[in-house]
Amino acid sequence: NNYAQYPNVLSGVIGNEVMNDLDSWYAAPCVKAYGHDLQRYMHSDEFQSNLSRRYKHNRRTIDGTSVVPIPLMYATQHSGIGAALTETDAIRLTVDYFGCQGDGDNGTDHGQQSLDIFGINVESWCSSFDTFEFDEQGGVGAYYQLYQALHNAIDMPLFFSEMGCSRLMFNKDNHVNVGSVAGTRDWRQVPVVLHEMNATWSGFSAYAYSGNPQFYMMGDEKGGASRWD
């Protein structure tokens, strides 16, 4: 109810890297049920009534009266599950699980999906020599693998919920320095996502604005100055 008043809320994340090994997959039905519960509530008369009563202005509306539900996203890790599943197989399994529409509890959700957006946290593309198709060593690029595996295979928007190699790993093996600080990332994957992958991918969130110094894009330097990565 609090977030739905703001028109600039992109989505709500119902889970981040929850199913990252075989044991944690037991939590998958709980995450999916949580999404269904939120979807049912946001499509209910109760939700519309609560928002109309509490926030007369500054709401997410379609026609000035109906409040737009917040799109829900699950973000999965870009990694395999032990020896059982490769990175691509694990992501495909997770996509298929959340994308499957059931009959719901007693048919009350009319087969509604638990998610609106599927997110993938990807921390590859760690070299200025990487391309869409190949990585620096000549192997198949991670972005290309994901594109091939998920192209036309899912009916919800795909999104890189975390995108960006660690600063400690970027150009680590080739010692190319693209900025004033070693490890500065050049973000050459951005036009790939926006052009080569745009038939399947709906965008990305650069990781990260602040926080972990291995990933931040903007951080306070000595003397109060700031810089972009």
Side-chain angles (χ1 to χ4, degrees), residues 31-58:
V31 177
K32 190 170 185 177
Y34 178 45
H36 275 301
D37 288 346
L38 290 174
Q39 294 280 20
R40 280 195 290 266
Y41 174 66
M42 288 190 292
H43 286 85
S44 69
D45 293 337
E46 179 185 0
F47 175 73
Q48 298 289 334
S49 176
N50 284 341
L51 270 292
S52 297
R53 184 175 63 254
R54 294 175 63 181
Y55 308 110
K56 297 182 184 292
H57 306 287
N58 194 32

Side-chain angles (χ1 to χ4, degrees), residues 10 18 24 27 32 41 47 50 57 60 97 108 122-123 125 131 182 184 201:
L10 177 64
V18 177
S24 59
K32 190 170 185 177
Y41 174 66
F47 175 73
N50 284 341
H57 306 287
R60 305 163 55 91
Y97 179 76
T108 54
V122 60
E123 296 170 9
W125 202 298
T131 67
T184 299
W201 249 258

Side-chain angles (χ1 to χ4, degrees), residues 45-207:
D45 293 337
E46 179 185 0
F47 175 73
Q48 298 289 334
S49 176
N50 284 341
L51 270 292
S52 297
R53 184 175 63 254
R54 294 175 63 181
Y55 308 110
K56 297 182 184 292
H57 306 287
N58 194 32
R59 292 180 297 148
R60 305 163 55 91
T61 60
I62 302 174
D63 53 11
T65 56
S66 301
V67 180
V68 180
I70 298 173
L72 301 180
M73 177 172 68
Y74 176 80
T76 191
Q77 70 282 355
H78 182 229
S79 63
I81 300 179
L85 295 170
T86 66
E87 297 170 345
T88 303
D89 289 339
I91 290 174
R92 184 63 183 268
L93 175 65
T94 311
V95 166
D96 290 344
Y97 179 76
F98 281 112
C100 178
Q101 298 187 36
D103 294 330
D105 299 331
N106 300 319
T108 54
D109 69 353
H110 307 291
Q112 186 178 70
Q113 288 188 165
S114 58
L115 296 181
D116 301 292
I117 305 168
F118 188 83
I120 300 175
N121 299 337
V122 60
E123 296 170 9
S124 56
W125 202 298
C126 289
S127 168
S128 294
F129 298 111
D130 283 358
T131 67
F132 179 34
E133 292 87 359
F134 303 103
D135 60 25
E136 185 181 50
Q137 287 74 37
V140 179
Y143 287 60
Y144 187 75
Q145 285 183 333
L146 289 171
Y147 181 79
Q148 292 296 318
L150 300 176
H151 185 57
N152 294 328
I154 183 173
D155 59 357
M156 72 178 82
L158 286 167
F159 185 80
F160 281 134
S161 38
E162 292 179 2
M163 188 178 83
C165 178
S166 161
R167 291 168 53 86
L168 296 180
M169 297 300 296
F170 191 75
N171 282 333
K172 176 183 176 182
D173 297 327
N174 58 38
H175 307 293
V176 173
N177 188 357
V178 298
S180 59
V181 178
T184 299
R185 299 172 288 180
D186 57 22
W187 298 99
R188 293 184 181 180
Q189 68 268 49
V190 170
V192 169
V193 177
L194 298 182
H195 296 286
E196 283 91 335
M197 301 179 70
N198 68 359
T200 303
W201 249 258
S202 295
F204 66 91
S205 176
Y207 187 57

